[in-house]
Coordinates of all heavy atoms in Angstrom, one line a residue:
F209 N 60.5 -180.2 -25.3 CA 59.3 -180.3 -25.9 C 58.4 -181.2 -25.1 O 57.5 -180.7 -24.4 CB 59.4 -180.7 -27.4 CG 58.4 -180.4 -28.3 CD1 57.8 -179.2 -28.4 CD2 57.9 -181.4 -29.2 CE1 56.8 -178.9 -29.3 CE2 56.9 -181.1 -30.1 CZ 56.4 -179.9 -30.2
F210 N 58.5 -182.5 -25.1 CA 57.9 -183.4 -24.2 C 58.5 -184.8 -24.2 O 59.2 -185.2 -25.1 CB 56.4 -183.5 -24.6 CG 56.1 -184.4 -25.7 CD1 55.9 -185.8 -25.7 CD2 55.9 -183.8 -27.0 CE1 55.6 -186.6 -26.8 CE2 55.5 -184.6 -28.1 CZ 55.4 -186.0 -28.0
V211 N 58.2 -185.5 -23.1 CA 58.6 -186.9 -22.9 C 57.4 -187.6 -22.5 O 56.8 -187.3 -21.5 CB 59.8 -187.1 -21.8 CG1 60.1 -188.5 -21.7 CG2 61.0 -186.2 -22.2
K212 N 57.0 -188.7 -23.2 CA 55.8 -189.4 -22.9 C 55.8 -190.8 -23.6 O 56.2 -190.9 -24.7 CB 54.5 -188.7 -23.3 CG 53.2 -189.3 -22.9 CD 52.1 -188.4 -23.2 CE 50.7 -189.0 -22.9 NZ 50.5 -189.5 -21.6
D213 N 55.4 -191.8 -22.8 CA 55.3 -193.1 -23.4 C 56.4 -193.6 -24.2 O 56.3 -194.2 -25.3 CB 54.0 -193.2 -24.2 CG 52.7 -192.9 -23.4 OD1 52.7 -193.2 -22.2 OD2 51.8 -192.4 -24.0
G214 N 57.6 -193.4 -23.7 CA 58.9 -193.9 -24.3 C 59.3 -193.1 -25.5 O 60.2 -193.6 -26.3
V215 N 58.8 -191.9 -25.7 CA 59.2 -191.0 -26.8 C 59.6 -189.6 -26.2 O 58.9 -189.1 -25.4 CB 58.1 -190.8 -27.9 CG1 58.6 -189.9 -29.0 CG2 57.7 -192.1 -28.5
R216 N 60.8 -189.2 -26.6 CA 61.2 -187.8 -26.3 C 61.2 -187.0 -27.5 O 61.8 -187.3 -28.5 CB 62.6 -187.9 -25.6 CG 63.2 -186.6 -25.2 CD 64.5 -186.8 -24.6 NE 64.5 -187.7 -23.5 CZ 65.4 -188.7 -23.2 NH1 66.4 -188.9 -24.0 NH2 65.2 -189.5 -22.2
A217 N 60.5 -185.9 -27.5 CA 60.4 -185.1 -28.7 C 61.0 -183.7 -28.4 O 60.9 -183.1 -27.4 CB 58.9 -184.9 -29.1
G218 N 61.6 -183.1 -29.5 CA 62.2 -181.8 -29.4 C 62.2 -181.1 -30.7 O 62.2 -181.8 -31.7
V219 N 62.3 -179.8 -30.7 CA 62.4 -179.0 -32.0 C 63.8 -178.4 -31.9 O 64.2 -177.8 -30.9 CB 61.3 -177.9 -32.1 CG1 61.6 -177.0 -33.3 CG2 60.0 -178.5 -32.1
T220 N 64.5 -178.4 -33.1 CA 65.8 -177.8 -33.2 C 65.8 -176.8 -34.3 O 65.2 -177.1 -35.4 CB 66.9 -178.9 -33.5 OG1 66.9 -179.9 -32.4 CG2 68.3 -178.3 -33.6
E221 N 66.4 -175.7 -34.1 CA 66.6 -174.6 -35.2 C 68.1 -174.4 -35.3 O 68.7 -174.0 -34.3 CB 65.8 -173.4 -34.8 CG 64.3 -173.6 -34.7 CD 63.6 -172.3 -34.4 OE1 64.2 -171.2 -34.4 OE2 62.4 -172.4 -34.0
L222 N 68.6 -174.6 -36.5 CA 70.0 -174.3 -36.7 C 70.2 -173.3 -37.8 O 69.7 -173.4 -38.9 CB 70.7 -175.6 -37.2 CG 71.2 -176.6 -36.2 CD1 71.7 -177.9 -36.9 CD2 72.2 -176.0 -35.3
Q223 N 70.9 -172.2 -37.5 CA 71.2 -171.2 -38.5 C 72.2 -171.8 -39.5 O 72.9 -172.8 -39.2 CB 71.8 -169.9 -37.8 CG 70.8 -169.3 -36.9 CD 69.5 -168.8 -37.6 OE1 69.5 -168.4 -38.8 NE2 68.4 -169.0 -37.0
P224 N 72.4 -171.2 -40.7 CA 73.4 -171.7 -41.6 C 74.8 -171.8 -41.0 O 75.2 -170.9 -40.3 CB 73.3 -170.7 -42.8 CG 71.9 -170.1 -42.7 CD 71.6 -170.1 -41.2
H225 N 75.4 -172.9 -41.2 CA 76.8 -173.2 -40.7 C 76.9 -173.4 -39.2 O 78.0 -173.5 -38.7 CB 77.8 -172.1 -41.2 CG 77.7 -171.9 -42.7 ND1 78.1 -172.8 -43.6 CD2 77.2 -170.9 -43.4 CE1 77.9 -172.4 -44.8 NE2 77.4 -171.2 -44.7
A226 N 75.7 -173.4 -38.5 CA 75.7 -173.7 -37.1 C 75.9 -175.2 -36.9 O 75.5 -176.0 -37.8 CB 74.4 -173.2 -36.4
M227 N 76.4 -175.6 -35.7 CA 76.7 -177.0 -35.5 C 76.1 -177.4 -34.1 O 76.1 -176.7 -33.1 CB 78.2 -177.2 -35.5 CG 78.5 -178.7 -35.2 SD 80.3 -178.9 -35.2 CE 80.5 -179.3 -36.9
I228 N 75.6 -178.6 -34.1 CA 75.3 -179.3 -32.8 C 76.5 -180.1 -32.5 O 76.9 -181.0 -33.2 CB 74.0 -180.2 -33.0 CG1 72.8 -179.4 -33.4 CG2 73.8 -181.0 -31.7 CD1 71.6 -180.3 -33.7
P229 N 77.1 -179.8 -31.3 CA 78.4 -180.5 -31.0 C 78.2 -182.0 -30.8 O 77.1 -182.5 -30.7 CB 78.8 -179.8 -29.7 CG 78.0 -178.6 -29.5 CD 76.7 -178.8 -30.3
K230 N 79.3 -182.7 -30.7 CA 79.4 -184.1 -30.6 C 78.5 -184.6 -29.4 O 78.6 -184.0 -28.3 CB 80.8 -184.6 -30.4 CG 81.0 -186.0 -30.6 CD 82.5 -186.4 -30.4 CE 83.4 -185.7 -31.2 NZ 84.8 -186.2 -31.0
H231 N 77.6 -185.5 -29.7 CA 76.8 -186.1 -28.6 C 76.4 -187.5 -29.0 O 76.6 -187.9 -30.1 CB 75.5 -185.2 -28.4 CG 74.7 -185.1 -29.7 ND1 75.0 -184.3 -30.8 CD2 73.5 -185.7 -30.0 CE1 74.1 -184.5 -31.7 NE2 73.2 -185.3 -31.2
T232 N 75.7 -188.2 -28.0 CA 75.2 -189.6 -28.2 C 73.8 -189.7 -27.8 O 73.4 -189.2 -26.8 CB 76.1 -190.6 -27.5 OG1 77.5 -190.4 -27.8 CG2 75.7 -192.0 -27.8
H233 N 73.0 -190.3 -28.7 CA 71.6 -190.7 -28.3 C 71.7 -192.1 -27.9 O 72.2 -193.0 -28.6 CB 70.7 -190.5 -29.5 CG 70.5 -189.2 -30.0 ND1 69.6 -188.3 -29.7 CD2 71.3 -188.5 -30.9 CE1 69.7 -187.1 -30.3 NE2 70.7 -187.2 -31.1
K234 N 71.1 -192.5 -26.7 CA 71.1 -193.8 -26.3 C 70.2 -194.8 -27.1 O 70.5 -195.9 -27.2 CB 70.7 -193.9 -24.8 CG 71.7 -193.3 -23.9 CD 71.2 -193.4 -22.4 CE 72.2 -192.7 -21.6 NZ 71.9 -192.8 -20.1
G235 N 69.2 -194.2 -27.7 CA 68.3 -195.0 -28.5 C 68.2 -194.3 -29.9 O 68.7 -193.3 -30.2
P236 N 67.5 -195.0 -30.8 CA 67.3 -194.4 -32.2 C 66.4 -193.3 -32.1 O 65.7 -193.0 -31.2 CB 66.6 -195.6 -32.9 CG 66.0 -196.4 -31.9 CD 66.8 -196.2 -30.6
H237 N 66.5 -192.4 -33.2 CA 65.6 -191.3 -33.3 C 65.3 -191.0 -34.8 O 65.9 -191.4 -35.7 CB 66.3 -190.0 -32.6 CG 67.6 -189.6 -33.2 ND1 68.8 -190.3 -32.9 CD2 67.9 -188.6 -33.9 CE1 69.7 -189.7 -33.5 NE2 69.3 -188.6 -34.1
L238 N 64.2 -190.3 -34.9 CA 63.6 -189.9 -36.2 C 63.7 -188.4 -36.3 O 63.3 -187.7 -35.4 CB 62.1 -190.4 -36.2 CG 61.4 -190.3 -37.6 CD1 62.0 -191.2 -38.6 CD2 59.9 -190.6 -37.4
V239 N 64.2 -187.9 -37.4 CA 64.3 -186.5 -37.7 C 63.3 -186.2 -38.7 O 63.3 -186.8 -39.8 CB 65.7 -186.2 -38.2 CG1 65.8 -184.7 -38.6 CG2 66.8 -186.5 -37.2
V240 N 62.4 -185.2 -38.4 CA 61.3 -184.8 -39.3 C 61.5 -183.3 -39.6 O 61.3 -182.5 -38.7 CB 59.9 -185.1 -38.7 CG1 58.9 -184.7 -39.7 CG2 59.8 -186.6 -38.3
P241 N 61.9 -182.9 -40.8 CA 62.1 -181.5 -41.1 C 60.8 -180.7 -41.2 O 59.8 -181.2 -41.7 CB 62.8 -181.5 -42.5 CG 63.2 -182.9 -42.8 CD 62.3 -183.8 -41.9
L242 N 60.9 -179.5 -40.6 CA 59.8 -178.6 -40.7 C 60.0 -177.6 -41.9 O 59.1 -176.9 -42.4 CB 59.6 -177.8 -39.4 CG 59.3 -178.7 -38.2 CD1 59.3 -177.9 -36.9 CD2 58.0 -179.5 -38.4
T243 N 61.4 -177.4 -42.2 CA 61.8 -176.6 -43.4 C 62.7 -177.5 -44.2 O 63.1 -178.6 -43.8 CB 62.6 -175.4 -42.9 OG1 63.8 -175.9 -42.2 CG2 61.8 -174.5 -42.0
E244 N 63.0 -177.1 -45.4 CA 63.9 -177.8 -46.3 C 65.3 -177.8 -45.5 O 65.7 -176.6 -45.1 CB 64.0 -177.2 -47.6 CG 64.8 -178.1 -48.6 CD 64.5 -177.7 -50.1 OE1 63.5 -177.1 -50.4 OE2 65.3 -178.1 -50.9
I245 N 66.0 -178.9 -45.4 CA 67.2 -178.9 -44.7 C 68.3 -179.6 -45.4 O 68.1 -180.5 -46.2 CB 67.1 -179.5 -43.3 CG1 66.7 -181.0 -43.3 CG2 66.1 -178.7 -42.4 CD1 66.7 -181.7 -42.0
E246 N 69.5 -179.1 -45.2 CA 70.7 -179.8 -45.8 C 71.7 -179.8 -44.6 O 72.2 -178.8 -44.2 CB 71.3 -179.0 -46.9 CG 72.4 -179.7 -47.6 CD 72.8 -179.1 -48.9 OE1 72.2 -178.2 -49.4 OE2 73.8 -179.6 -49.5
L247 N 71.9 -181.0 -44.1 CA 72.7 -181.2 -42.9 C 73.9 -182.1 -43.2 O 73.8 -183.0 -44.2 CB 71.9 -181.9 -41.8 CG 70.7 -181.2 -41.4 CD1 69.9 -182.0 -40.3 CD2 71.0 -179.8 -40.8
E248 N 75.0 -181.9 -42.5 CA 76.1 -182.9 -42.6 C 76.3 -183.5 -41.3 O 76.5 -182.8 -40.2 CB 77.4 -182.1 -43.0 CG 78.6 -183.1 -43.2 CD 79.8 -182.4 -43.7 OE1 80.0 -182.2 -44.9 OE2 80.6 -182.0 -42.8
G249 N 76.3 -184.8 -41.2 CA 76.5 -185.5 -40.0 C 77.8 -186.2 -40.0 O 78.4 -186.6 -41.0
R250 N 78.5 -186.1 -38.8 CA 79.8 -186.7 -38.6 C 79.7 -187.7 -37.5 O 79.5 -187.3 -36.4 CB 80.8 -185.6 -38.3 CG 81.1 -184.7 -39.5 CD 82.1 -183.7 -39.2 NE 82.4 -182.9 -40.3 CZ 83.5 -183.0 -41.1 NH1 84.4 -183.9 -40.8 NH2 83.6 -182.3 -42.2
V251 N 79.8 -189.0 -37.8 CA 79.8 -190.1 -36.9 C 81.3 -190.5 -36.6 O 82.0 -190.7 -37.6 CB 79.0 -191.3 -37.4 CG1 79.0 -192.4 -36.4 CG2 77.5 -190.8 -37.6
E252 N 81.6 -190.7 -35.4 CA 83.0 -191.1 -35.1 C 83.4 -192.4 -35.9 O 82.6 -193.3 -35.9 CB 83.2 -191.4 -33.6 CG 83.2 -190.2 -32.8 CD 83.5 -190.4 -31.3 OE1 83.5 -191.6 -30.8 OE2 83.9 -189.5 -30.6
G253 N 84.5 -192.3 -36.6 CA 85.0 -193.5 -37.3 C 84.4 -193.7 -38.7 O 84.7 -194.7 -39.4
Q254 N 83.6 -192.7 -39.2 CA 83.0 -192.8 -40.5 C 83.2 -191.5 -41.2 O 83.4 -190.4 -40.6 CB 81.5 -193.1 -40.3 CG 81.2 -194.4 -39.7 CD 79.6 -194.6 -39.6 OE1 78.8 -193.9 -40.3 NE2 79.2 -195.5 -38.7
P255 N 83.2 -191.5 -42.6 CA 83.3 -190.3 -43.3 C 82.0 -189.4 -43.1 O 80.9 -190.0 -42.9 CB 83.4 -190.7 -44.8 CG 82.9 -192.1 -44.8 CD 83.1 -192.7 -43.5
P256 N 82.1 -188.1 -43.3 CA 80.9 -187.2 -43.2 C 79.9 -187.6 -44.2 O 80.2 -188.1 -45.3 CB 81.5 -185.8 -43.5 CG 82.9 -185.9 -43.3 CD 83.3 -187.3 -43.6
K257 N 78.6 -187.4 -43.8 CA 77.5 -187.7 -44.6 C 76.6 -186.6 -44.7 O 76.1 -186.1 -43.7 CB 76.7 -188.9 -44.1 CG 75.5 -189.4 -44.9 CD 74.9 -190.6 -44.3 CE 73.6 -191.0 -45.1 NZ 72.9 -192.1 -44.5
R258 N 76.2 -186.1 -46.0 CA 75.3 -185.0 -46.2 C 73.9 -185.6 -46.5 O 73.8 -186.6 -47.2 CB 75.7 -184.2 -47.4 CG 76.8 -183.3 -47.0 CD 77.0 -182.2 -48.0 NE 78.0 -181.3 -47.5 CZ 78.2 -180.0 -48.0 NH1 77.4 -179.6 -48.9 NH2 79.2 -179.3 -47.5
V259 N 72.9 -184.9 -45.9 CA 71.5 -185.3 -46.1 C 70.7 -184.1 -46.5 O 70.8 -183.0 -45.9 CB 70.9 -185.9 -44.8 CG1 69.5 -186.3 -45.0 CG2 71.7 -187.1 -44.4
H260 N 69.9 -184.2 -47.6 CA 69.0 -183.1 -48.0 C 67.6 -183.6 -47.9 O 67.3 -184.6 -48.5 CB 69.4 -182.7 -49.4 CG 68.5 -181.5 -49.9 ND1 67.7 -181.6 -51.0 CD2 68.4 -180.3 -49.4 CE1 67.0 -180.5 -51.1 NE2 67.5 -179.7 -50.2
L261 N 66.8 -183.0 -47.1 CA 65.5 -183.4 -46.8 C 64.5 -182.3 -47.0 O 64.8 -181.2 -46.7 CB 65.3 -184.0 -45.4 CG 66.2 -185.2 -45.0 CD1 66.1 -185.5 -43.5 CD2 65.8 -186.4 -45.8
K262 N 63.3 -182.6 -47.6 CA 62.2 -181.7 -47.7 C 61.3 -181.7 -46.5 O 61.3 -182.7 -45.7 CB 61.4 -182.0 -49.0 CG 62.3 -181.9 -50.2 CD 61.4 -182.2 -51.4 CE 62.3 -182.0 -52.7 NZ 61.7 -182.4 -53.9
P263 N 60.5 -180.7 -46.3 CA 59.6 -180.7 -45.1 C 58.8 -182.0 -45.1 O 58.2 -182.4 -46.1 CB 58.8 -179.4 -45.3 CG 59.6 -178.5 -46.1 CD 60.4 -179.4 -47.0
G264 N 58.7 -182.6 -43.9 CA 58.0 -183.8 -43.7 C 58.6 -185.1 -44.1 O 58.1 -186.2 -43.9
E265 N 59.8 -185.0 -44.8 CA 60.5 -186.2 -45.3 C 61.4 -186.7 -44.1 O 62.4 -186.1 -43.8 CB 61.3 -185.9 -46.5 CG 62.1 -187.0 -47.1 CD 63.0 -186.6 -48.3 OE1 63.0 -185.4 -48.6 OE2 63.6 -187.4 -48.8
P266 N 61.0 -187.8 -43.5 CA 61.7 -188.3 -42.3 C 63.1 -189.0 -42.6 O 63.3 -189.5 -43.7 CB 60.7 -189.2 -41.6 CG 60.0 -189.8 -42.8 CD 59.9 -188.7 -43.8
A267 N 63.9 -189.0 -41.6 CA 65.2 -189.7 -41.7 C 65.4 -190.5 -40.3 O 65.2 -189.9 -39.3 CB 66.4 -188.8 -41.9
W268 N 65.7 -191.7 -40.4 CA 65.9 -192.6 -39.3 C 67.4 -192.6 -38.9 O 68.2 -192.8 -39.8 CB 65.4 -194.0 -39.6 CG 65.4 -194.9 -38.4 CD1 66.3 -195.9 -38.2 CD2 64.5 -194.9 -37.3 NE1 66.0 -196.6 -37.0 CE2 64.9 -196.0 -36.4 CE3 63.4 -194.2 -36.9 CZ2 64.3 -196.3 -35.2 CZ3 62.8 -194.5 -35.7 CH2 63.2 -195.5 -34.9
V269 N 67.7 -192.4 -37.7 CA 69.1 -192.4 -37.2 C 69.2 -193.5 -36.1 O 68.5 -193.4 -35.1 CB 69.5 -191.0 -36.6 CG1 70.9 -191.0 -36.3 CG2 69.2 -189.9 -37.7
P270 N 70.1 -194.5 -36.2 CA 70.3 -195.5 -35.2 C 70.8 -194.9 -33.9 O 71.4 -193.8 -33.9 CB 71.2 -196.5 -35.8 CG 71.6 -196.0 -37.2 CD 71.0 -194.7 -37.4
G271 N 70.6 -195.6 -32.9 CA 71.1 -195.1 -31.5 C 72.5 -195.6 -31.3 O 73.1 -196.3 -32.1
N272 N 73.1 -195.1 -30.2 CA 74.4 -195.4 -29.7 C 75.5 -195.0 -30.7 O 76.5 -195.6 -30.8 CB 74.5 -196.9 -29.4 CG 73.6 -197.2 -28.2 OD1 73.6 -196.5 -27.2 ND2 72.9 -198.3 -28.3
L273 N 75.2 -193.9 -31.5 CA 76.3 -193.3 -32.3 C 76.6 -192.0 -31.8 O 75.8 -191.1 -31.5 CB 75.7 -193.1 -33.8 CG 75.3 -194.3 -34.5 CD1 74.7 -193.9 -35.9 CD2 76.5 -195.3 -34.8
T274 N 77.9 -191.7 -31.6 CA 78.4 -190.4 -31.2 C 78.6 -189.6 -32.5 O 79.3 -190.0 -33.4 CB 79.8 -190.6 -30.4 OG1 79.5 -191.3 -29.3 CG2 80.3 -189.2 -30.0
H275 N 77.9 -188.5 -32.6 CA 77.9 -187.7 -33.8 C 77.7 -186.2 -33.5 O 77.4 -185.8 -32.5 CB 76.8 -188.2 -34.8 CG 75.4 -187.9 -34.3 ND1 74.4 -187.5 -35.1 CD2 74.9 -188.0 -33.1 CE1 73.3 -187.4 -34.4 NE2 73.6 -187.7 -33.2
S276 N 78.1 -185.4 -34.6 CA 77.8 -184.0 -34.6 C 77.0 -183.7 -35.9 O 77.1 -184.5 -36.8 CB 79.1 -183.2 -34.5 OG 79.9 -183.4 -35.7
V277 N 76.3 -182.6 -35.9 CA 75.5 -182.2 -37.0 C 75.7 -180.8 -37.4 O 75.7 -179.9 -36.5 CB 74.0 -182.5 -36.7 CG1 73.1 -182.0 -37.9 CG2 73.7 -183.9 -36.4
M278 N 75.9 -180.5 -38.6 CA 76.1 -179.1 -39.1 C 75.1 -178.8 -40.2 O 74.8 -179.6 -41.0 CB 77.5 -178.8 -39.6 CG 77.7 -177.4 -40.2 SD 79.3 -177.2 -40.9 CE 80.1 -176.5 -39.4
N279 N 74.5 -177.5 -40.1 CA 73.6 -177.0 -41.2 C 74.6 -176.5 -42.3 O 75.2 -175.5 -42.1 CB 72.7 -176.0 -40.6 CG 71.8 -175.4 -41.7 OD1 71.9 -175.8 -42.9 ND2 71.0 -174.4 -41.3
V280 N 74.6 -177.2 -43.4 CA 75.5 -176.8 -44.5 C 74.6 -176.1 -45.6 O 75.2 -175.7 -46.7 CB 76.3 -178.0 -45.1 CG1 77.3 -178.6 -44.1 CG2 75.4 -179.2 -45.6
G281 N 73.4 -175.9 -45.3 CA 72.5 -175.2 -46.3 C 72.6 -173.7 -46.1 O 73.3 -173.2 -45.2
G282 N 72.0 -172.9 -46.9 CA 72.0 -171.5 -46.9 C 70.9 -170.8 -46.1 O 70.8 -169.6 -46.0
A283 N 70.0 -171.7 -45.5 CA 68.9 -171.1 -44.7 C 68.8 -171.8 -43.4 O 69.4 -172.9 -43.2 CB 67.6 -171.3 -45.5
Q284 N 68.0 -171.3 -42.5 CA 67.8 -171.9 -41.2 C 67.2 -173.3 -41.4 O 66.3 -173.5 -42.2 CB 66.8 -171.1 -40.4 CG 66.6 -171.6 -39.0 CD 65.5 -170.9 -38.2 OE1 64.3 -170.7 -38.7 NE2 65.8 -170.5 -37.0
A285 N 67.7 -174.2 -40.6 CA 67.1 -175.6 -40.7 C 66.3 -175.8 -39.4 O 66.8 -175.5 -38.3 CB 68.3 -176.6 -40.7
K286 N 65.1 -176.2 -39.5 CA 64.2 -176.4 -38.4 C 63.6 -177.8 -38.5 O 63.1 -178.2 -39.6 CB 63.1 -175.4 -38.4 CG 62.2 -175.5 -37.1 CD 61.3 -174.2 -37.0 CE 60.5 -174.3 -35.8 NZ 59.6 -173.1 -35.7
F287 N 63.8 -178.6 -37.4 CA 63.3 -180.0 -37.5 C 62.9 -180.5 -36.1 O 63.4 -180.0 -35.1 CB 64.4 -180.9 -38.1 CG 65.8 -180.9 -37.5 CD1 66.1 -181.7 -36.4 CD2 66.7 -180.0 -37.9 CE1 67.3 -181.7 -35.9 CE2 68.0 -179.9 -37.4 CZ 68.3 -180.8 -36.4
V288 N 62.0 -181.5 -36.1 CA 61.6 -182.2 -34.9 C 62.4 -183.5 -34.8 O 62.6 -184.2 -35.8 CB 60.1 -182.5 -35.0 CG1 59.7 -183.4 -33.8 CG2 59.3 -181.2 -35.0
T289 N 62.8 -183.8 -33.6 CA 63.5 -185.1 -33.3 C 62.6 -185.9 -32.4 O 62.2 -185.4 -31.3 CB 64.9 -184.8 -32.7 OG1 65.7 -184.1 -33.6 CG2 65.6 -186.2 -32.4
L290 N 62.3 -187.1 -32.8 CA 61.6 -188.0 -31.9 C 62.5 -189.1 -31.5 O 63.0 -189.9 -32.4 CB 60.4 -188.6 -32.7 CG 59.3 -187.7 -33.2 CD1 58.3 -188.4 -34.1 CD2 58.7 -187.0 -32.1
E291 N 62.9 -189.1 -30.3 CA 63.9 -190.0 -29.7 C 63.2 -191.2 -29.0 O 62.3 -190.9 -28.2 CB 64.9 -189.3 -28.9 CG 66.1 -190.1 -28.4 CD 67.1 -189.4 -27.7 OE1 67.0 -188.1 -27.6 OE2 68.0 -190.0 -27.2
F292 N 63.7 -192.4 -29.2 CA 63.1 -193.5 -28.6 C 64.1 -194.2 -27.6 O 64.8 -195.1 -28.0 CB 62.7 -194.5 -29.6 CG 61.7 -193.9 -30.6 CD1 62.1 -193.3 -31.8 CD2 60.4 -193.9 -30.3 CE1 61.3 -192.7 -32.7 CE2 59.4 -193.3 -31.2 CZ 59.9 -192.7 -32.4
P293 N 64.3 -193.6 -26.4 CA 65.4 -194.0 -25.5 C 65.0 -195.4 -25.0 O 63.8 -195.8 -24.8 CB 65.4 -193.0 -24.4 CG 64.1 -192.3 -24.4 CD 63.6 -192.5 -25.8
P294 N 66.0 -196.2 -24.6 CA 65.8 -197.5 -24.0 C 65.0 -197.3 -22.7 O 65.1 -196.3 -22.0 CB 67.2 -198.1 -23.7 CG 68.1 -197.3 -24.5 CD 67.5 -196.0 -24.7
E295 N 64.2 -198.3 -22.3 CA 63.5 -198.2 -21.1 C 64.3 -197.9 -19.9 O 65.5 -198.4 -19.8 CB 62.7 -199.5 -20.8 CG 61.5 -199.6 -21.7 CD 60.6 -200.8 -21.3 OE1 60.5 -201.1 -20.1 OE2 60.0 -201.4 -22.2
G296 N 63.8 -197.0 -19.0 CA 64.6 -196.7 -17.8 C 65.5 -195.5 -18.0 O 66.2 -195.0 -17.1
N297 N 65.5 -194.9 -19.2 CA 66.4 -193.7 -19.5 C 65.6 -192.4 -19.7 O 64.6 -192.4 -20.3 CB 67.3 -193.9 -20.7 CG 68.4 -194.9 -20.3 OD1 69.0 -194.8 -19.3 ND2 68.6 -195.9 -21.2

């Protein structure tokens, strides 16, 4: 999508039961749903966590967590991610 002034933005679309494989964000990020979403996040060393968000309802995710994300809802999940990487990344 774009990278500017210390913010990296992208749009993600996940079909029902689709998964974003395990990955790590170096900095914190903000998830802003464009559709109603129901996601399950799995962070290494922690129990799975389900999140249900309405369009426009943001969720803050700390950085340096290795995690995967699955759409556990019955509809496509579409959301914007605003990532705030550390300087120099």
Side-chain angles (χ1 to χ4, degrees):
F209 203 45
F210 74 85
V211 177
K212 183 169 175 63
D213 298 329
V215 177
R216 183 178 302 138
V219 175
T220 301
E221 295 180 15
L222 278 178
Q223 296 301 320
H225 309 290
M227 177 181 273
I228 299 171
K230 196 183 303 184
H231 62 285
T232 304
H233 297 267
K234 292 182 181 180
H237 59 285
L238 188 65
V239 175
V240 182
L242 300 175
T243 61
E244 190 164 341
I245 62 175
E246 188 169 354
L247 305 175
E248 181 176 274
R250 293 180 176 258
V251 175
E252 285 188 344
Q254 297 181 17
K257 180 179 178 184
R258 284 196 176 200
V259 179
H260 182 242
L261 299 171
K262 295 180 180 177
E265 182 180 3
W268 185 255
V269 182
N272 296 315
L273 295 177
T274 300
H275 67 139
S276 62
V277 178
M278 176 181 265
N279 178 1
V280 293
Q284 180 187 54
K286 187 172 182 179
F287 53 92
V288 173
T289 302
L290 300 173
E291 187 174 352
F292 303 92
E295 286 191 33
N297 288 312

